[in-house]
Amino acid sequence: MTKNKIWLSSPHMGENEQKYIKEAFDHNWVAPLGPNVNGLEADLEGFLGEEKKIAAVSTGTAALHLALILLGVKAGDEVICQSLTFSASANPIVYQGATPVFVDSEPDTWNICPGALEDAIKERTALGMKPKAVIAVHLYGMPYKVEEIHAVAGKYDIPVIEDAAEALGSHYKGQNCGTFAPMAILSFNGNKIITTSGGGALVCPDEDLKKKAVFLATQARDQAPHYQHSHIGYNYRMSNICAGIGRGQMEVLEERVAQRRGMHAFYTEIFSGVKEITLLRAPGTDYFCNHWLTAILTESFEQREALRLALDEDNIESRPVWKPMHLQPVFKDVPYYGGRVAEDIFDRGLCLPSGSNLTDTDRERIRSAITKFLSI
Ligand SMILES: *Cc1c(COP(=O)(O)O)cnc(C)c1O
């Protein structure tokens, strides 16, 4: 008998998602606008605070593309991006005809390293290619070194874009991730801490920029009775049906954060006596991580693979940490600054099942698979 699959991170619905979808059907708001889109934006604005304005869009990737456009990133420009991340952090740079410049991580948060960032900025600027923006990621929900990164970027007057796709509900010194930079992005893909099946949001500093984002996201239509266009537009707005799911999910966000953090505590306990395995954990009390995924560092690439395969044997999904962008075939000719921190995390890092919907039975299966593996 095959055991049911334990997933890394699967959608976890609350109570009211279907109620909001039904309202959309009842009023025929089956379109990429409507009360759920406005409602989700208001919910997110209320949650994030700091007077941010939200534009709900079709994906986190689309949100990042819009952020780059709004910052004026054009063909031939360079944009710095954290190397240790999902490809969606870097791809929109290429959509603009610009070139990414990848930067290594530091070992405390696994996020972009302030020293390597400064080296990159100095050298690119000396080469006559001052970077147009820096994309910093809160990987697996762990806040990046906010003060250091913003100080370096600020010193050279380069705007930061916060990729908070994995970090809704995380905060640093009590301030929410997604509110530190002028613009940030969120993702509601199916595997994220809350989902709209597919969706994302651009966090804007004011109503004016939000208006510009929505204009671009709805085909850049000029004010006229006919269809007239002075700009190239995009079809990036969020569906009112998807936004209905999002409104239901916002009602359980805090609960989901607590449950994901509970999974991290569960693994902390399992690995507490195991010297060779460490967890990605908050480097201090200033950091509050939603622990979207719990990630561990094993002793070696071999141990990481052995653990992954042992879990797979029991139908438990785990996944190597994101493969750094500077090691991706598609980015092989792109400049890179830093050492081997990201590469080493990739070699030895593994993400473990972290879903908020895992049951006690699932946890017991995970625990026995890991303890069995460790006692070999
Ligand atoms: C998921 C993710 C994105 C992209 O979001 P989509 O909604 O899937 O387009 C961007 N950056 C990071 C770090 C992500 O994990």
Side-chain angles (χ1 to χ4, degrees), residues 232-305:
I232 293 295
Y234 302 86
N235 188 4
Y236 278 172
R237 199 69 164 126
M238 183 184 277
S239 150
N240 193 57
I241 303 298
C242 294
I245 305 175
R247 286 181 86 182
Q249 291 273 278
M250 281 305 288
E251 294 177 6
V252 292
L253 173 58
E254 305 271 16
E255 203 181 318
R256 297 292 176 264
V257 171
Q259 287 158 328
R260 298 259 175 178
R261 285 172 56 83
M263 286 307 297
H264 189 266
F266 164 76
Y267 289 115
T268 302
E269 195 254 308
I270 291 182
F271 292 112
S272 61
V274 187
K275 268 205 300 297
E276 71 269 26
I277 293 180
T278 55
L279 287 89
L280 172 62
R281 61 191 178 89
T285 51
D286 289 340
Y287 294 79
F288 182 94
C289 180
N290 68 8
H291 288 303
W292 167 58
L293 294 183
T294 292
I296 58 168
L297 267 191
T298 60
E299 197 170 31
S300 61
F301 170 79
E302 290 72 24
Q303 191 190 37
R304 183 263 264 173
E305 269 309 274

Side-chain angles (χ1 to χ4, degrees), residues 4 34 78 93 97 114 126 139 147-149 155 197 206 214 232 280-281 285 324 326 332 346 362 370:
N4 68 306
E78 287 189 352
I93 300 169
L139 207 69
E147 279 143 343
E148 285 97 321
I149 296 304
K155 182 170 160 191
S197 74
D206 52 44
V214 171
I232 293 295
L280 172 62
R281 61 191 178 89
T285 51
H326 73 279
K332 66 178 181 343
F346 169 60
D362 294 335
I370 294 175

Side-chain angles (χ1 to χ4, degrees), residues 5-6 8 271 277 296-322 346-353 366 369-370 372-374 376:
K5 177 113 180 173
I6 295 180
L8 193 73
F271 292 112
I277 293 180
I296 58 168
L297 267 191
T298 60
E299 197 170 31
S300 61
F301 170 79
E302 290 72 24
Q303 191 190 37
R304 183 263 264 173
E305 269 309 274
L307 176 56
R308 189 181 68 78
L309 292 171
L311 291 169
D312 187 55
E313 192 75 5
D314 206 41
N315 215 12
I316 299 169
E317 186 186 27
S318 66
R319 192 183 292 165
V321 163
W322 300 122
F346 169 60
D347 282 344
R348 299 191 289 126
L350 191 68
C351 298
L352 299 170
I366 296 168
I370 294 175
K372 188 170 147 215
F373 171 81
L374 290 172
I376 294 168

Side-chain angles (χ1 to χ4, degrees), residues 59-61 85-86 88-89 137 163 165-166 185 187 189 192 199:
T59 62
T61 311
T85 185
F86 179 44
S89 302
V137 186
D163 182 342
E166 303 178 359
I185 69 117
S187 168
N189 202 352
K192 297 285 155 64

